[in-house]
Amino acid sequence: MSIVLSRDSQVRVMENTVTNAEKYFGQFCSLLAAYTRKTARLRDKADQLVRQLTDFANTEHPEMRATMRNFAEDLAKVQDYRQAEVERLETKVVCPLKLYGTHIKQTRAEIKKFKQVQKNEMKQLEKLEKLRQKSPSDRQTISQAETGVQRASVDASRITHQLEEVIDTFQKQKLKDLQKIFSDFVTIEMVFHTKAVEVYSSAFQILDSYDLERDLEDFRTKIHGVYGHYDARPFKDTTPSPAVPWALTGQSTQTTIRSQRRDEEEEESTEHSAEEDPVEDLRG
Amino acid sequence: MSIVLSRDSQVRVMENTVTNAEKYFGQFCSLLAAYTRKTARLRDKADQLVRQLTDFANTEHPEMRATMRNFAEDLAKVQDYRQAEVERLETKVVCPLKLYGTHIKQTRAEIKKFKQVQKNEMKQLEKLEKLRQKSPSDRQTISQAETGVQRASVDASRITHQLEEVIDTFQKQKLKDLQKIFSDFVTIEMVFHTKAVEVYSSAFQILDSYDLERDLEDFRTKIHGVYGHYDARPFKDTTPSPAVPWALTGQSTQTTIRSQRRDEEEEESTEHSAEEDPVEDLRG
């Protein structure tokens, strides 16, 4: 009897080992999958920021334009590393944890097989007990039942040793996998953070070496370019003359359009080094 | 006339400068706020993982328990640094960008004031033009209107210079703020990534020094503790005897309960160094 109970305890320990692994590996899997997804979303937001920084750079004067473009490039580089982080987490952390489910199912099947053999041993014992109570004098049938019990015990004993090995292997693999998966997690994170430090150091230099005064000079030149009209034309021109119809006539509108075009041409000439006219950009 | 047009161009440049700043600073603000929120969510997921790792550690043998606890502590440390990152991003990046809205509104108000003065100049010019067409001989009224135009022109000229200063200050502040905000962003990120590298290096050591064999020995001792019943009791005990009622009687149930209790006591003795019995944990 006590060997049957001891086997029962053993099955309980084994089942708990597997159930525990199933529970925690399942949680690790879903949490690390969520962690990976959140990382991907962080990358998406930073990618959007990169695009906005690039768009913004195109509306700025050369100095700020170069600074923002280079900064955006560095920020994009960090996102490339983050993308690599996401892919590696998927491959080396989330996938192995997912596959663990299959491994656990196999071990569960082994335990189930053992339980059936154990159940058979119990059945044989019960059968023998009943016989002994109902027909204590039927020596032959009792003897057959005793043989049945012994055979079932041998089966149970054999499969117990098999299961012991299965669980030993399971536990060893579980501990190895835990060490491997979390070491991989740490390595992936470490690589990403190291690269991020590198790239951000360069980004800091870019922002630090930005020449504000040069940019302001460009801006002032542009503003003064507009004032240029003022300096180029004598005050008398602005004194209304009957020869120039100022009111809302067709001719006046045409003059306005021409003058505006010229303004734009002059703006462009002061913005010679710029690839795109920031003001033009915003007009559209 | 052309000075009026040149002022119009200037206002356009200024309005575009402010509109552009409003557009991009607004986008930077909402993207960086989203980036900060996503970072906070990543921290939340990692915090959940820390809790699960700690729970799991408590169900494991001493060696894995210590490893998982120390690893979870390091992972929690990274989240503390991430929390600091989130708070700093809020204070030094998102808030200044939000406050920029007020700054832009003030500048818009200055431009509006200028436009009103400019509009008045136009009105005076139109009035003069109409007078010249309707009553070209009314020298006195025309002279009054000319004075009105000149007064309005002086006002417009004065406020133009004021606005030039306002826009110069605005642009200077904008460029300075951009440099400052993104430098702060980079610094905050750099500090976080540097700290993460540090902590993960320690976490890697923890996982690397995990002694699998020692843990397996503990596990085997536990499994053999269960087998201990088998070794301690001779085979004859398991041979059913009429003196021991095996079937579903009250006495048999009591024996089963007692035997199970003893099993548990023996399990506990083999798990002496453990603070909590992993199997007991899972039974609840």
Side-chain angles (χ1 to χ4, degrees):
Chain A
M1 183 200 76
S2 65
I3 195 172
V4 178
L5 286 177
S6 114
R7 272 179 201 147
D8 185 59
S9 298
Q10 196 191 18
V11 168
R12 225 178 33 196
V13 171
M14 287 171 177
E15 275 187 320
N16 284 336
T17 301
V18 174
T19 302
N20 203 34
E22 192 171 34
K23 178 186 164 187
Y24 285 105
F25 275 70
Q27 284 173 342
F28 294 157
C29 182
S30 70
L31 282 173
L32 282 158
Y35 181 90
T36 308
R37 277 197 306 277
K38 303 278 171 216
T39 305
R41 281 182 200 148
L42 193 59
R43 174 210 59 205
D44 290 343
K45 276 297 150 202
D47 277 344
Q48 282 181 38
L49 184 60
V50 166
R51 282 193 289 277
Q52 285 305 323
L53 283 167
T54 311
D55 282 0
F56 172 73
N58 292 335
T59 70
E60 284 294 310
H61 291 280
E63 190 68 18
M64 179 51 93
R65 184 180 308 162
T67 302
M68 280 293 128
R69 275 187 188 164
N70 293 337
F71 170 56
E73 266 175 35
D74 273 351
L75 197 58
K77 254 186 228 163
V78 174
Q79 305 328 306
D80 290 344
Y81 287 123
R82 220 191 285 270
Q83 174 57 20
E85 179 200 3
V86 165
E87 284 167 13
R88 282 176 198 153
L89 285 174
E90 276 290 346
T91 316
K92 300 193 97 183
V93 177
V94 179
C95 277
L97 282 168
K98 263 186 201 160
L99 287 173
Y100 220 82
T102 320
H103 188 42
I104 284 168
K105 265 180 205 151
Q106 283 165 356
T107 311
R108 270 209 189 290
E110 299 273 353
I111 293 175
K112 203 176 165 188
K113 213 165 72 187
F114 173 74
K115 279 177 105 176
Q116 276 166 349
V117 175
Q118 195 187 30
K119 215 172 160 186
N120 184 44
E121 193 187 9
M122 291 280 278
K123 238 162 89 182
Q124 297 296 331
L125 277 168
E126 276 173 27
K127 196 178 148 191
L128 176 63
E129 195 56 30
K130 270 182 196 161
L131 269 176
R132 275 181 181 150
Q133 284 179 342
K134 279 186 185 168
S135 7
S137 56
D138 188 351
R139 301 299 301 164
Q140 204 197 341
T141 318
I142 286 174
S143 175
Q144 277 175 358
E146 279 175 350
T147 312
V149 166
Q150 283 196 339
R151 210 176 285 145
S153 284
V154 168
D155 281 354
S157 175
R158 181 180 44 81
I159 212 158
T160 298
H161 287 288
Q162 281 178 14
L163 190 68
E164 201 193 342
E165 272 171 40
V166 165
I167 286 293
D168 196 87
T169 309
F170 176 83
Q171 181 72 358
K172 194 174 174 177
Q173 196 60 46
K174 185 193 90 174
L175 297 173
K176 252 190 182 171
D177 285 350
L178 268 177
Q179 190 187 19
K180 173 89 171 69
I181 288 168
F182 284 112
S183 292
D184 281 347
F185 171 82
V186 169
T187 306
I188 292 164
E189 293 292 286
M190 250 201 306
V191 168
F192 167 66
H193 290 300
T194 307
K195 290 291 178 188
V197 171
E198 251 175 64
V199 179
Y200 278 130
S201 300
S202 138
F204 188 84
Q205 291 305 316
I206 287 166
L207 290 165
D208 195 51
S209 63
Y210 164 67
D211 188 348
L212 173 74
E213 282 309 319
R214 228 174 112 183
D215 233 4
L216 268 183
E217 269 168 41
D218 285 340
F219 181 73
R220 282 165 190 155
T221 306
K222 187 170 164 186
I223 292 284
H224 287 292
V226 176
Y227 276 114
H229 296 285
Y230 179 85
D231 300 332
R233 289 155 197 246
F235 188 65
K236 67 172 168 57
D237 242 8
T238 67
T239 310
S241 127
V244 182
W246 176 245
L248 309 158
T249 66
Q251 205 194 339
S252 146
T253 310
Q254 278 191 350
T255 317
T256 309
I257 291 168
R258 269 204 304 277
S259 298
Q260 279 184 338
R261 280 221 185 109
R262 189 160 45 212
D263 286 350
E264 280 166 22
E265 279 158 20
E266 284 189 38
E267 267 175 52
E268 269 168 33
S269 73
T270 64
E271 273 282 297
H272 193 67
S273 57
E275 280 168 47
E276 289 174 57
D277 183 349
V279 178
E280 283 300 317
D281 262 356
L282 287 163
R283 258 173 226 152
Chain B
M1 183 199 75
S2 66
I3 195 172
V4 177
L5 285 177
S6 112
R7 274 179 199 147
D8 186 58
S9 297
Q10 196 192 19
V11 168
R12 224 178 34 194
V13 171
M14 288 172 176
E15 275 187 322
N16 284 336
T17 300
V18 173
T19 303
N20 203 35
E22 192 170 36
K23 178 186 165 189
Y24 285 105
F25 275 69
Q27 284 173 342
F28 294 157
C29 182
S30 69
L31 283 172
L32 282 159
Y35 180 89
T36 307
R37 277 197 306 275
K38 304 277 171 215
T39 304
R41 280 180 201 149
L42 193 58
R43 175 210 58 205
D44 290 343
K45 277 295 150 204
D47 277 343
Q48 283 180 39
L49 184 59
V50 166
R51 281 193 290 275
Q52 286 304 322
L53 283 167
T54 311
D55 282 359
F56 172 74
N58 292 334
T59 70
E60 284 295 310
H61 291 280
E63 190 69 18
M64 180 51 94
R65 183 180 310 161
T67 303
M68 280 294 128
R69 274 186 188 165
N70 293 338
F71 170 57
E73 266 174 34
D74 273 351
L75 197 58
K77 255 186 229 164
V78 175
Q79 304 329 305
D80 290 345
Y81 287 124
R82 218 190 286 270
Q83 174 58 20
E85 179 201 1
V86 165
E87 284 168 13
R88 282 175 199 153
L89 284 175
E90 277 290 346
T91 316
K92 298 191 100 182
V93 177
V94 179
C95 277
L97 282 168
K98 262 185 200 159
L99 287 174
Y100 220 83
T102 319
H103 188 42
I104 284 169
K105 263 179 207 152
Q106 283 165 355
T107 311
R108 270 210 189 290
E110 300 271 353
I111 293 176
K112 201 175 164 189
K113 211 165 75 188
F114 173 74
K115 279 177 104 175
Q116 277 165 346
V117 175
Q118 195 185 31
K119 215 170 158 187
N120 183 45
E121 192 186 10
M122 292 279 279
K123 239 163 89 183
Q124 298 294 331
L125 278 168
E126 276 173 28
K127 193 177 152 193
L128 176 64
E129 196 57 28
K130 270 183 196 159
L131 269 176
R132 275 178 180 151
Q133 284 178 345
K134 280 187 182 165
S135 10
S137 55
D138 188 354
R139 301 297 301 163
Q140 203 196 341
T141 316
I142 286 174
S143 174
Q144 275 174 359
E146 278 176 351
T147 311
V149 166
Q150 284 196 337
R151 209 176 285 143
S153 284
V154 167
D155 280 353
S157 175
R158 181 179 46 81
I159 211 156
T160 298
H161 287 289
Q162 278 177 17
L163 189 68
E164 202 193 342
E165 270 172 42
V166 166
I167 284 294
D168 196 87
T169 308
F170 176 83
Q171 181 73 357
K172 194 173 174 179
Q173 196 60 45
K174 184 192 90 175
L175 297 172
K176 252 189 179 170
D177 285 349
L178 267 177
Q179 190 187 20
K180 172 88 171 71
I181 289 168
F182 285 111
S183 291
D184 280 347
F185 171 81
V186 169
T187 307
I188 292 163
E189 293 292 285
M190 251 200 306
V191 167
F192 167 66
H193 291 299
T194 306
K195 290 291 178 187
V197 171
E198 251 175 64
V199 179
Y200 278 130
S201 301
S202 138
F204 188 84
Q205 291 305 317
I206 287 166
L207 290 165
D208 195 51
S209 63
Y210 164 66
D211 188 348
L212 173 74
E213 282 309 319
R214 229 174 110 183
D215 234 3
L216 268 183
E217 269 169 41
D218 284 341
F219 181 73
R220 281 165 191 155
T221 305
K222 186 172 166 185
I223 291 284
H224 287 292
V226 176
Y227 276 113
H229 297 286
Y230 180 83
D231 298 332
R233 288 156 199 246
F235 188 64
K236 66 170 167 61
D237 241 9
T238 68
T239 310
S241 130
V244 181
W246 177 247
L248 309 157
T249 66
Q251 206 195 338
S252 148
T253 310
Q254 279 190 351
T255 316
T256 309
I257 291 168
R258 268 205 306 275
S259 298
Q260 280 184 337
R261 281 224 183 106
R262 190 161 44 212
D263 286 349
E264 282 167 21
E265 279 159 19
E266 285 189 37
E267 270 175 50
E268 269 170 31
S269 73
T270 63
E271 274 281 297
H272 192 66
S273 57
E275 282 170 44
E276 290 174 58
D277 183 353
V279 179
E280 284 299 319
D281 264 357
L282 287 162
R283 257 173 228 151

